[in-house]
Amino acid sequence: MQTVGDLVTLLSTAARKALPDITDPDDKQHDRHTEACPLSCLHLSVRVTNALKYAHTPPRTIGALLHMIRTDQLTEVRNIGRRSLAEVHQALTATGFDVRHTNLI
């Protein structure tokens, strides 16, 4: 006969296998960001991340995002306005990229 405790254990084990681990050991924090780093290194808001995800050619790395900025493609992305551009500018500046001479703000 199974108890409620057995059922809870079964459900929590199944949930751990089904859901991604938030503290993934392969996702190491690093001090120096490069253009090869994924966009997740910028810690952008969900709103900006979703807008970039549905862009014509979604950037997967910081370098691809910088390319979009340099070629004025970022301003063409739907749901990317002044506030989103300011957030991207702040995130890139905070991670050490020089975006002073771009049209982000």
Side-chain angles (χ1 to χ4, degrees):
M1 180 182 274
Q2 292 187 349
T3 65
V4 174
D6 294 335
L7 182 59
V8 170
T9 303
L10 176 68
L11 289 174
S12 65
T13 303
R16 267 188 256 121
K17 290 180 182 178
L19 297 174
D21 187 11
I22 294 173
T23 58
D24 186 10
D26 294 332
D27 186 23
K28 296 178 175 63
Q29 295 291 330
H30 48 272
D31 295 332
R32 187 169 181 275
H33 298 301
T34 65
E35 291 188 14
C37 290
L39 282 182
S40 60
C41 288
L42 295 178
H43 304 289
L44 297 170
S45 68
V46 173
R47 182 175 43 85
V48 174
T49 302
N50 284 339
L52 291 172
K53 186 187 314 182
Y54 296 109
H56 180 60
T57 53
R60 301 207 184 278
T61 63
I62 294 175
L65 179 63
L66 289 170
H67 176 73
M68 285 182 77
I69 293 167
R70 291 179 189 125
T71 58
D72 292 328
Q73 294 176 11
L74 185 61
T75 57
E76 302 298 321
V77 175
R78 185 175 180 199
N79 296 327
I80 295 285
R82 285 189 326 210
R83 195 166 81 185
S84 298
L85 292 173
E87 180 182 334
V88 169
H89 182 273
Q90 181 181 10
L92 287 169
T93 303
T95 53
F97 290 95
D98 184 16
V99 287
R100 288 179 291 182
H101 303 292
T102 61
N103 59 350
L104 285 176
I105 31 179

